[in-house]
Amino acid sequence: MDLEFDRDHIWHPYSSLINPPPVYPVARADGVRLHLEDGRTLIDGMSSWWCALHGYNVPELNRAAREQMEKMSHVMFGGLTHEPAITLSKKLVEITPEPLQRVFLADSGSVSVEVAIKMALQFWQSQGRAQKNKLLALRNGYHGDTFGAMATCDPVTGMHHLFASQLTQHFFAPAPRPKFDKPCSDADFAELQSLIEQHRDQLAGVILEPIVQGAGGMRFYSPEYLRRVRALCDENDLLLIADEIATGFGRTGKLFACEHAGISPDILTVGKALTGGTMTLAATLCTDRVAEGICRGEAGVFMHGPTFMGNPLACAVSSASIDLLLGSPWQQRVAAIEAQLKRELAPLKEASTVADVRALGAIGVVEMREPVDMQRVQEALIAHGVWLRPFGKLVYAMPPYVMSAEDLSQLTGAMVDVLGDR
Ligand SMILES: *Cc1c(COP(=O)(O)O)cnc(C)c1O
């Protein structure tokens, strides 16, 4: 591989082309293993950023792609439709909370968030309440890298000041304080409640990641908090947008994280694991009320339509991935991974450099006291035969659900070895 060309010409996520970090060439991937060009093999603890639930080179997904490719890889969605989009949308309506009945197929997570925000704004515009055009978001949240999505990310870690003149100024509530399994008190909601009550006439809705705040801190919070937000939205005429791009498809132990709280949002985004990690696809679902509200408005239509909307190849693979997931003992697998992560990462709680260790579903997080030297930690983990991608103070694992207990032990063992006191 021409790594020199890569270094000089190709952007990687959040990378510098003046001082490029090392990148490791992958030749192929199979099961839970990444095979590097130089012959080394790494156990993948990242699922390629939440996506590869079933691991790599999955026969069922490959077959779905191959069969669809021989019919048509793509066709425009304007004025045409096809079986893969219908089959997938039926499944999404069926497996998401009941009030979500209408499906918009988008190209990536960030685009599905743009679509969700636009739905909320167009909904209130249609009701003759166009001044309800701001959102309430949570600190430590992450919703994507495009401008609309970025404006709802944590203002500090999302570096809002860099783009201040271009970003919509939304409202931000403190990150949810009550931990996943801890009780909540009224004080935990005071600021959220007062922001909502004070700005309800300007607010289109609340946008949040249910239960797990991902890229903005890997924080797990209480279902009671989510129930309270749902109630506040109802009491104050706000739409609730749940971004399940990271949490969807079983990662937290429920098929969708909203199920922990028994609530349904008005608008839901899914992405990442939707295709089982084979390619990009996302979706934004909404209720009948939101869809009908939008379509009765001035425009008469929902004003969005990507070129690759409803890509048949991605839809066919997504349907195959959902079938594979639902046909597997995924709940037992995720519960077993959670128990093993808790058990095997526990020794790190004693380490002087570690601030917190936590696990929920198939997510294990080690939060250090200081930001880690990513390059050093990554190299040390690779020497142990595992692939993780730390950021800031966080070193975390979200393995494919099909990972064996033995491989997971190697992964957690490497984390304990590299991060623990020596
Ligand atoms: C990854 C992510 C996004 C953005 O998705 P992309 O496919 O990277 O555009 C949005 N929201 C959440 C919660 C995510 O984890």
Side-chain angles (χ1 to χ4, degrees), residues 49-50 107-113 142-146 149 209 212 214-215 243-247 269 271-272 280-282:
W49 277 335
W50 314 86
D107 328 36
S108 73
S110 297
V111 172
S112 72
V113 170
Y142 177 77
H143 298 288
D145 289 353
T146 53
E209 297 152 275
V212 175
D243 177 352
E244 294 236 23
I245 291 167
T247 51
T269 58
K272 289 204 162 98
T280 180
L281 186 71

Side-chain angles (χ1 to χ4, degrees), residues 174-416:
R177 230 174 356 182
K179 297 198 171 151
F180 180 75
D181 46 5
K182 294 285 182 319
C184 305
S185 73
D186 282 349
D188 294 324
F189 306 104
E191 195 164 341
L192 172 83
Q193 180 158 1
S194 90
L195 277 166
I196 288 178
E197 287 171 358
Q198 202 179 327
H199 301 294
R200 47 177 291 173
D201 294 333
Q202 287 162 274
L203 284 172
V206 173
I207 183 166
L208 50 70
E209 297 152 275
I211 306 300
V212 175
Q213 293 190 294
M218 302 299 289
R219 304 171 82 262
F220 311 148
Y221 66 87
S222 162
E224 180 58 35
Y225 183 94
L226 188 54
R227 274 193 291 274
R228 193 68 163 258
V229 175
R230 175 71 271 184
L232 284 167
C233 285
D234 291 339
E235 289 156 22
N236 292 281
D237 236 357
L238 266 54
L239 298 175
L240 177 60
I241 302 172
D243 177 352
E244 294 236 23
I245 291 167
T247 51
F249 304 102
R251 182 57 67 179
T252 68
K254 302 279 187 190
L255 199 51
F256 294 96
C258 283
E259 294 170 23
H260 285 287
I263 61 116
S264 176
D266 301 285
I267 300 172
L268 173 79
T269 58
V270 293
K272 289 204 162 98
L274 175 59
T275 64
T278 45
M279 63 186 87
T280 180
L281 186 71
T284 310
L285 285 88
C286 72
T287 60
D288 291 341
R289 171 177 174 244
V290 171
E292 283 161 24
I294 289 168
C295 300
R296 290 216 180 83
E298 178 198 328
V301 297
F302 179 54
M303 293 294 286
H304 212 93
T307 306
F308 277 91
M309 187 169 181
N311 176 251
L313 205 48
C315 288
V317 176
S318 296
S319 287
S321 176
I322 292 171
D323 288 347
L324 188 58
L325 179 69
L326 298 183
S328 75
W330 65 271
Q331 279 131 315
Q332 288 95 307
R333 284 176 178 166
V334 170
I337 291 171
E338 175 177 323
Q340 197 179 343
L341 286 169
K342 283 184 170 156
R343 192 168 62 240
E344 295 181 349
L345 293 177
L348 284 172
K349 287 184 180 168
E350 313 304 326
S352 58
T353 51
V354 170
D356 189 35
V357 178
R358 49 190 182 265
L360 179 68
I363 313 169
V365 182
V366 180
E367 185 168 339
M368 309 298 287
R369 294 193 193 279
E370 303 293 334
V372 298
D373 176 345
M374 177 150 83
Q375 207 166 313
R376 188 195 68 76
V377 169
Q378 196 150 50
E379 274 167 19
L381 289 164
I382 287 173
H384 281 76
V386 308
W387 174 248
L388 292 174
R389 178 92 176 145
F391 76 93
K393 296 178 180 173
L394 302 167
V395 185
Y396 58 100
M398 41 222 196
Y401 305 164
V402 295
M403 188 173 285
S404 69
E406 197 184 352
D407 286 341
L408 187 54
S409 281
Q410 185 174 339
L411 186 68
T412 56
M415 292 169 82
V416 171

